[in-house]
Amino acid sequence: MKTWFGRMAAMGAVALALTGAPVMAAGKVSAPCGVMPAADKVVALNEIQNLMGRYDHQGTLRGEGTLADLFALNTEGVSWLTPGGPVGLEAMRARFADPDEDRRPGILHMHSMFSPVIEVAGDGQTAKGVWDSFGPSINGPDDIGAWLWVKYAVDFVKEQGKWKIWHLQVFPVFNTKFSTPITQTARDMAARQPAAEVAGVSGRDSARAGANPMQARPGYAMPAKLWRYDGKSTPQGPFIPVAYCHFDAATAYTIAAPAK
């Protein structure tokens, strides 16, 4: 009899999971919220996957100036941090009004998206996802080029019935020249840092002196500290999304505030 009750409880938990109700440990359901029908959730997951696929393909083949239609440019708080960048409607709209992109032959920046984990909110209005991204970063025919591996963390929002990118944050893992082993790059970064900064090397400026000019642009932001592979510390990055009911700003995928 106990076995029968155990099986029924397990089946109930599976049913809740398939309908989209957030399921907690031991089959307990979290606080009540809207429940998306399973078919609607499948459609949402497919649309979000395609959205990030377009981010990759359009950005690589046609340039970043073509990405405006992928972002929630009518929703407050929209941001594009890679790992630094525009935060807020004014800065984002200005970014696409003047894309400041270089499309000369010989430039190649890849944003391949793989190993996705996506969760759609129970109310069906927002979603969260993380991806790994690996590819070349080449700034021109005379650049040595580098291998770049990052993690993307994205909040999505429904805007006029369509899924859009709301907050996008890139978490670096490593960036190493084609000619240099990752471990050597880590040793070189560590040698340029004070001893206290070796574990969890600070952000994009870790490999060179001086502030990043991106920090000086109105409405732009740069995280003060981001983890990169250093050969010594434990990897850090975005949290993996879990089932949730409604969007909570406390868990938004953005780790920077607008520059003053």
Side-chain angles (χ1 to χ4, degrees):
M1 183 65 71
K2 290 182 178 179
T3 301
W4 183 86
F5 278 115
R7 290 176 178 172
M8 293 302 292
M11 291 174 63
V14 170
L16 286 169
L18 289 174
T19 60
V23 179
M24 308 297 283
K28 295 181 180 179
V29 180
S30 65
C33 67
V35 178
M36 289 185 69
D40 290 347
K41 178 171 284 191
V42 170
V43 170
L45 292 172
N46 186 65
E47 290 178 350
I48 289 168
Q49 282 274 49
N50 282 345
L51 178 60
M52 292 307 292
R54 290 189 182 95
Y55 178 93
D56 173 13
H57 295 299
Q58 288 181 211
T60 300
L61 301 177
R62 298 180 179 86
E64 292 183 348
T66 68
L67 301 180
D69 63 322
L70 307 183
F71 285 86
L73 297 181
N74 295 304
T75 303
E76 291 293 340
V78 60
S79 60
W80 187 16
L81 302 173
T82 62
V87 179
L89 288 171
E90 184 176 352
M92 284 289 288
R93 289 170 179 169
R95 170 67 175 82
F96 288 111
D98 179 20
D100 189 30
E101 61 176 339
D102 192 340
R103 295 292 293 155
R104 292 176 302 166
I107 292 178
L108 180 62
H109 298 139
M110 301 290 288
H111 305 278
S112 54
M113 298 289 167
F114 53 94
S115 60
V117 179
I118 305 169
E119 288 288 346
V120 182
D123 64 9
Q125 298 306 302
T126 65
K128 307 180 82 69
V130 294
W131 284 261
D132 275 320
S133 181
F134 174 70
S137 177
I138 306 172
N139 293 314
D142 298 323
D143 182 25
I144 295 174
W147 290 120
L148 181 66
W149 197 308
V150 303
K151 289 183 178 291
Y152 275 82
V154 187
D155 287 309
F156 302 90
V157 65
K158 269 288 188 69
E159 192 177 82
Q160 298 177 344
K162 293 184 178 181
W163 287 106
K164 300 283 186 176
I165 297 170
W166 189 10
H167 313 119
L168 186 153
Q169 177 72 65
V170 166
F171 291 76
V173 177
F174 69 75
N175 184 342
T176 188
K177 294 295 183 182
F178 291 156
S179 58
T180 307
I182 299 167
T183 49
Q184 183 61 52
T185 298
R187 285 192 289 269
D188 292 344
M189 285 196 301
R192 287 191 286 268
Q193 294 292 323
E197 295 293 330
V198 171
V201 178
S202 59
R204 181 178 290 183
D205 300 322
S206 60
R208 62 178 184 271
N212 191 298
M214 185 177 290
Q215 293 175 303
R217 297 181 65 173
Y220 275 55
M222 172 66 73
K225 197 174 187 69
L226 285 169
W227 186 89
R228 290 173 186 257
Y229 176 77
D230 58 14
K232 297 182 179 181
S233 61
T234 301
Q236 301 170 28
F239 67 89
I240 301 171
V242 296
Y244 69 107
C245 292
H246 313 286
F247 175 75
D248 182 351
T251 62
Y253 281 132
T254 178
I255 56 176
K260 295 181 181 180

